[in-house]
Amino acid sequence: MNIDADGSARVPDGDLPRTSALDTDLVHAARRDAARDASDTGAILRADVDELRVALIGLDPDATITVSFDGRPIWSTTLPEPHRRVHRLPWPEPLRPHLRGSTRLTVTDAATASVVAGSDVTFDDSPERTTVVDANGKALVVNKWGVLGAVVTADEDLRQRLIARTAVLCDDLETLGYDVAITSGTLLGLVRDGRMLPNDDDSDLSVIFPDSSPADLVLRSYRMERELADAGYTVVRHSGAHLQVTFLIDGGDIDHYIDIFTGFFRGEDFCQPFHLRAPVPRSSLLPTVRVEWEGVQVPAPPVPEDWLAACYGADWRTPDPAFHFETPSATRRRYENWFGSFNTGRVHWESYYSSVAAPEHLDGQQRYLRSARALLPAGGSVLDLGTGSGAIAAALAGDGRRVLGVDYSLKAVALARSAGVDAEFLNLNERRRVDQLAVRIRADPSPWSISAAFVLHTLTGETRSAVFGLIRSALRHPSPEPRSAVVAVDTVLDEDAYSFDDPSSWHLPVETLADELEPHGLSFRIERDGVRTTPHGEREFVVGTITLTTPTQEENR
Amino acid sequence: MSIAGRISRALSRVAPTTTQRVHRSLTAPSSATLGEQLAEAQAQILELQRDVDELRADNLRIAELYDVVVDRLGQDGDPSGT
């Protein structure tokens, strides 16, 4: 690329797309902006429902910017490479459904907190102002994971609840004998700014365990989870080293979280999954000291600067709203294999059910239900995996069956319970919980049948393997009473609709299902097939039964 | 036994196939091109990574199964009792 005398970039024909008239117009406007106030700098933005375009004259092209709607920060990002001085930023996918109506759109340089460009933008003909909120009106931002998350600092009542609960949780953990301290974004905000970070969505705690063996660390984390549950907390496990204490509001919607990360020393390193593995002196972390944070006393590391430099790098004092972790492969592999990762798909389903007001029948479920009613023993016990809003579980229970629905969306469990379903929170990604459930239903004097309507194709292969172990265990119950396992799956991939972040777009071919069942001594028989309408278009599905193919011990005798 | 011998024996126990391949590739006279040797070494590293990942993941499985047992017995899941 060459630079013209006027400073604009010149691209050889065919190297990059030609600059549009819009871009040229944008750059000229930025130059006029600079000339108007007799400065060397100017910036102009344009936006539509597809992208934001920013032209900067004399400003840092590598800046981190924060985009605000009507003065409320929505999205922070680093500027992409400009083409002829115009930075083109496609809107993040999760934000697009909210791009309606009009707003005053401003772009702020995160380093200086100064507004560099602003414009009145109209996304469509809707008369309202553009709002980025959830179904309950809670303010959302594009968070560091690239998805929409609640922003605590936009709601003072919520912020105060989070602060008070964080202090109480710290006290409770200390009473239980744990070395707890504020960490991550909570620690960074306190040390750098003296307050919570703008756009923070939770608070973060670390608990330093005395163990260094991964199995011992996980077992101690299990114990802490039990103790917190016994104390009345709602605890969601993200990994063997990461718990999320979740606070709910009426109706089962999530009010906010507090993360608890396990920390431990191993060799020369201090480890705090999922990211940190660096030599931090023990004396920089323990014993903890009491500090004032947002008007309450909380425990903190005695030398927090050492932890912050190890986690965020030497530039941790410079605000970077677009910061994201770049965890070295060796560290990531170590932590993922030692501690697992159990949250796959849960954010999607929690978000999905937060917009569902009452138990719902999706297309295909009635056809599944007709088959399930015929194939599941009348009057028996049924375990409904991934019960969702409980519509199928409620119908099966209405026939006179004893039904237990399980789901890993807290909101789904609340919906199912509101429909009269006996429902429990259970994450199928957690093999330990699946194993415990298998033991539990095998201990029942009567056998349990299994129902899994449009669930198996939304799970990873590893999770399905655990579920198949559960199904085999249920089918092998020693009682002579009848039992069965009925499932429905979407079988065909729609490449245009597929998204890793949306498990409902996943698929499971019948051949793959059969191959995966075989090592478990199970086989699949198609009972019916069809096409159903989904948010991802028309999808082919099958309903079938899973049966034992290898003899049980009882049969061998 | 020397430290190298101990490491060699431990490696052959953990990843016998890979250890044999590495040993062969280091000792056998090779007519393979440098590119072929590099490709084989890369494949061996990937295989070793998978072996290491499997062994690491076994820690979690041990903890899970242990916890299922203690949960069934209604006891605390910390083997050290501390």
Side-chain angles (χ1 to χ4, degrees), chain A residues 24-46 54-59 104 107 114-119:
Chain A
T24 306
D25 182 38
L26 202 56
V27 173
H28 288 161
R31 290 201 177 110
R32 284 197 298 275
D33 184 47
R36 189 162 44 244
D37 60 6
S39 72
D40 295 329
T41 62
I44 292 291
L45 67 84
R46 300 267 168 77
V54 186
L56 301 174
I57 301 296
L59 292 165
R104 176 69 184 175
V107 170
S114 58
V115 174
V116 297
S119 179

Side-chain angles (χ1 to χ4, degrees), chain A residues 485-497:
Chain A
V486 185
V487 304
V489 292
D490 290 332
T491 55
V492 179
L493 173 69
D494 180 343
E495 290 185 7
D496 293 333

Side-chain angles (χ1 to χ4, degrees), chain A residues 167-499:
Chain A
V168 170
L169 180 56
C170 285
D171 289 346
D172 287 347
L173 285 165
E174 286 186 329
T175 302
L176 289 167
Y178 294 105
D179 287 315
V180 59
I182 58 169
T183 193
S184 303
T186 305
L187 183 66
L188 176 65
L190 175 65
V191 175
R192 195 186 64 197
D193 305 335
R195 56 188 171 85
M196 291 174 72
L197 292 176
N199 287 349
D200 214 346
D201 62 348
D202 64 1
S203 58
D204 301 308
L205 303 177
S206 71
V207 171
I208 298 180
F209 287 169
D211 319 273
S212 58
S213 156
D216 287 338
L217 288 158
V218 173
L219 285 170
R220 196 177 293 274
S221 179
Y222 291 160
R223 187 179 78 172
M224 186 169 72
E225 179 185 357
R226 285 193 179 92
E227 290 169 336
L228 289 170
D230 289 346
Y233 288 105
T234 300
V235 187
V236 175
R237 177 170 292 284
H238 281 223
S239 79
H242 177 192
L243 299 177
Q244 198 168 63
V245 175
T246 304
F247 294 86
L248 303 175
I249 54 180
D250 291 343
D253 286 299
I254 292 169
D255 195 24
H256 67 83
Y257 325 95
I258 299 174
D259 279 318
I260 306 177
F261 299 101
T262 293
F264 58 98
F265 293 93
R266 190 173 168 94
E268 299 295 311
D269 290 331
F270 175 68
C271 303
Q272 188 175 305
F274 53 90
H275 173 72
L276 177 57
R277 186 164 70 100
V280 182
R282 180 182 291 267
S283 59
S284 297
L285 303 175
L286 294 172
T288 59
V289 296
R290 305 295 287 187
V291 296
E292 184 173 330
W293 170 71
E294 299 285 0
V296 296
Q297 294 285 315
V298 290
V303 189
E305 294 82 1
D306 285 354
W307 189 95
L308 291 166
C311 186
Y312 296 114
D315 294 334
W316 63 270
R317 289 184 188 277
T318 304
D320 180 5
F323 175 84
H324 63 277
F325 291 108
E326 291 182 7
T327 306
S329 166
T331 299
R332 185 179 48 74
R333 282 180 44 230
R334 192 175 294 252
Y335 289 161
E336 284 184 358
N337 287 288
W338 275 347
F339 304 116
S341 180
F342 308 141
N343 212 41
T344 303
R346 207 176 68 81
V347 171
H348 166 82
W349 291 114
E350 209 65 83
S351 171
Y352 174 82
Y353 286 111
S354 71
S355 63
V356 174
E360 52 174 4
H361 270 297
L362 305 175
D363 191 39
Q365 287 191 336
Q366 290 291 3
R367 282 172 280 177
Y368 171 81
L369 192 55
R370 280 196 291 276
S371 296
R373 280 176 157 144
L375 296 165
L376 294 168
S381 302
V382 177
L383 175 63
D384 188 36
L385 301 176
T387 198
S389 62
I392 287 172
L396 293 173
D399 297 340
R401 296 178 181 86
R402 176 173 60 149
V403 180
L404 172 65
V406 296
D407 204 287
Y408 74 161
S409 158
L410 289 161
K411 180 63 191 297
V413 170
L415 283 166
R417 286 176 178 165
S418 73
V421 174
D422 181 10
E424 293 180 8
F425 177 86
L426 187 130
N427 184 350
L428 296 175
N429 292 322
E430 264 196 86
R431 285 177 302 190
R432 156 181 169 253
R433 293 299 191 193
V434 177
D435 291 344
Q436 286 172 346
L437 184 59
V439 170
R440 188 171 134 201
I441 65 173
R442 268 298 282 269
D444 199 279
S446 299
W448 283 74
S449 292
I450 305 290
S451 165
F454 302 105
V455 173
L456 295 179
H457 66 274
T458 69
L459 307 177
T460 64
E462 188 177 2
T463 297
R464 275 198 298 273
S465 179
V467 170
F468 296 153
L470 166 71
I471 291 174
R472 177 171 173 81
S473 178
L475 293 177
R476 293 183 67 205
H477 192 284
S479 162
E481 297 172 49
R483 81 294 310 265
S484 61
V486 185
V487 304
V489 292
D490 290 332
T491 55
V492 179
L493 173 69
D494 180 343
E495 290 185 7
D496 293 333
Y498 171 79
S499 163

Side-chain angles (χ1 to χ4, degrees), chain A residues 130-198:
Chain A
T130 309
T131 54
V132 185
V133 297
D134 67 11
N136 297 310
K138 189 185 291 184
L140 303 173
V141 297
V142 180
N143 63 23
K144 56 183 175 287
W145 313 113
V147 300
L148 290 180
V151 50
V152 170
T153 47
D155 181 335
E156 183 57 22
D157 288 343
L158 173 59
R159 200 178 75 90
Q160 291 300 332
R161 286 197 298 277
L162 172 65
I163 292 165
R165 286 164 173 167
T166 301
V168 170
L169 180 56
C170 285
D171 289 346
D172 287 347
L173 285 165
E174 286 186 329
T175 302
L176 289 167
Y178 294 105
D179 287 315
V180 59
I182 58 169
T183 193
S184 303
T186 305
L187 183 66
L188 176 65
L190 175 65
V191 175
R192 195 186 64 197
D193 305 335
R195 56 188 171 85
M196 291 174 72
L197 292 176

